[in-house]
Amino acid sequence: MGSLDSDFARLVSHLDYSLFIVTTANRGERAGCLIGFASQVSIHPPRFLACLSVKNRTYRLAEHTDTLVVHPVPEEAEELALLFGGETGDEVDKFARCQWRQGPHGAPVLTELENWFAGRVLDRIDFGDHVGFLLEPSAVSAKESQEPFTFRRGRWIDPGHEP
Ligand SMILES: Cc1cc2nc3c(=O)[nH]c(=O)nc-3n(C[C@H](O)[C@H](O)[C@H](O)COP(=O)(O)O)c2cc1C
């Protein structure tokens, strides 16, 4: 890695931002992972970008689905963050280890988390080792405001798939 690349990696390691759990389903299979590369990207119309690593099982399912469910992770949900960020669905059934129900277009909604939205996939954008899914909200559950579980708090979690 050149020094510009390593300087950039050092700079972004100092940033902090909210983490989300993204879930999806296709043909009876379910997937979900913890993500940090995500943001609202437009107000009118409302748009959100969720980026998935091409190595993740969640990405492989999301390639063939038209709906993702995005759950902001609240600060007390460390166990869910560890399950969805530290394990891969290639090896364990994450949905056997948490409470969920079928949500919009069959995508799993994590019932422990009160805030989530379902997003219709409008576009997929290749950024390199991550693909951005441009989402239009199609269903929303917005309850209490919560403190987020942030990237800097989740940094100790060893990703289930290498980034
Ligand atoms: C703090 C943190 C942030 C992460 N951010 C992303 C991300 O933005 N996009 C992504 O695809 N994976 C991200 N991951 C990695 C996945 O959550 C992890 O590799 C997961 O085990 C993949 O599960 P899957 O193979 O079942 O999809 C992150 C992990 C951690 C610990």
Side-chain angles (χ1 to χ4, degrees), residues 34-37 51-53 56-58 85 87-89 94 160-161:
L34 183 72
I35 72 163
F37 292 170
C51 298
L52 295 175
S53 161
N56 290 353
R57 179 168 186 276
T58 307
E87 304 285 353
T88 171
K94 299 182 199 184
H161 257 297

Side-chain angles (χ1 to χ4, degrees), residues 19 31-38 51-60 81 83-90 94 130 150-151 154-163:
L19 296 179
C33 70
L34 183 72
I35 72 163
F37 292 170
C51 298
L52 295 175
S53 161
V54 296
K55 303 229 173 93
N56 290 353
R57 179 168 186 276
T58 307
Y59 168 74
R60 296 198 299 275
L83 176 63
F84 279 87
E87 304 285 353
T88 171
D90 287 337
K94 299 182 199 184
H130 285 66
T150 64
F151 173 69
R155 239 180 353 198
W156 62 273
I157 299 172
D158 205 10
H161 257 297
E162 281 313 302

